């Protein structure tokens, strides 16, 4: 008799940024999956260090600007809520180099010590951008460049990659 493999437990992550600077996070999306099912999610706007300055192209991509994040908490203010989502977890991102770079740069900017976690990248598994990977896998991507939508899609891509045995 064949033993059925359990789906992994992990947190899917996506950041949106105000500028090309990696410490300019303006939105974070997190989705926790346990045994292949979504069990929790969190989406927060973040006031970047210089909230007055958003690059035109980033505003055009995600629609978040200085008026949107004016009253939002800073990353440092959010960190106590965010930390348990990362600490000792498997964190999955599509283009993990970017998203985990944003996390590392933002923690460094605020003088917050990094936390231990494992990481996986769905871009490396699928080899194409998020939109193309979702099309290939049949994963819904209704509001691309909304951090919660993108993190949820990333999590579903990871589960599908595991099901297909992609390495």
């Amino acid at each position: 008799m064949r033993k059925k493999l359990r789906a992994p437990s992990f947190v899917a992550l996506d950041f949106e940024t105000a500028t090309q600077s990696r410490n300019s996070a303006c939105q974070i999306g997190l989705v926790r999956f346990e045994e292949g099912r979504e069990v929790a999610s969190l989406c927060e706007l973040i006031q970047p260090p210089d909230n007055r300055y958003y690059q035109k192209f980033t505003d055009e991509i995600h629609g978040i600007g200085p008026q949107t994040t004016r009253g939002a908490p800073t990353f440092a203010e959010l960190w106590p809520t965010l930390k348990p989502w990362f600490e000792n977890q498997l964190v999955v991102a599509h283009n993990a180099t970017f998203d985990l770079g944003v996390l590392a740069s933002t923690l460094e900017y605020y003088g917050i010590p990094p936390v231990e976690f494992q990481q996986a990248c769905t871009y490396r598994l699928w080899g194409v951008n998020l939109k193309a990977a979702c099309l290939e896998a049949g994963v819904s991507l209704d509001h691309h460049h909304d951090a919660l939508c993108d993190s949820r899609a990333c999590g579903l891509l990871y589960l599908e990659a595991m099901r297909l045995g992609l390495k």
Side-chain angles (χ1 to χ4, degrees), residues 29-141:
L30 296 161
V31 180
R32 183 179 310 283
F33 288 83
E34 293 180 5
E35 297 182 9
R37 291 189 347 259
E38 180 180 330
V39 296
S41 64
L42 176 76
C43 186
E44 292 285 346
L45 290 170
I46 302 168
Q47 187 176 128
D50 183 359
N51 193 56
R52 297 166 302 179
Y53 181 65
Y54 277 69
Q55 288 180 308
K56 185 175 171 50
F57 83 93
T58 60
D59 190 2
E60 290 171 351
I61 289 172
H62 51 56
I64 300 169
Q67 295 79 15
T68 313
T69 56
R70 182 174 292 128
T74 66
F75 186 87
E77 292 168 334
L78 283 172
W79 183 241
T81 301
L82 300 175
K83 184 178 178 183
W85 288 82
F86 292 95
E87 200 166 38
N88 301 314
Q89 302 294 315
L90 169 59
V91 178
V92 178
H94 197 82
N95 190 2
T97 301
F98 173 78
D99 291 294
L100 297 177
V102 170
L103 177 64
S105 293
T106 306
L107 289 170
E108 182 179 344
Y109 178 85
Y110 287 105
I112 301 169
V115 295
E116 294 289 323
F117 59 86
Q118 295 177 305
Q119 59 183 283
C121 178
T122 53
Y123 177 79
R124 289 180 184 241
L125 293 170
W126 290 92
V128 293
N129 67 37
L130 183 63
K131 188 174 183 179
C134 287
L135 281 171
E136 184 178 331
V139 169
S140 174
L141 186 63

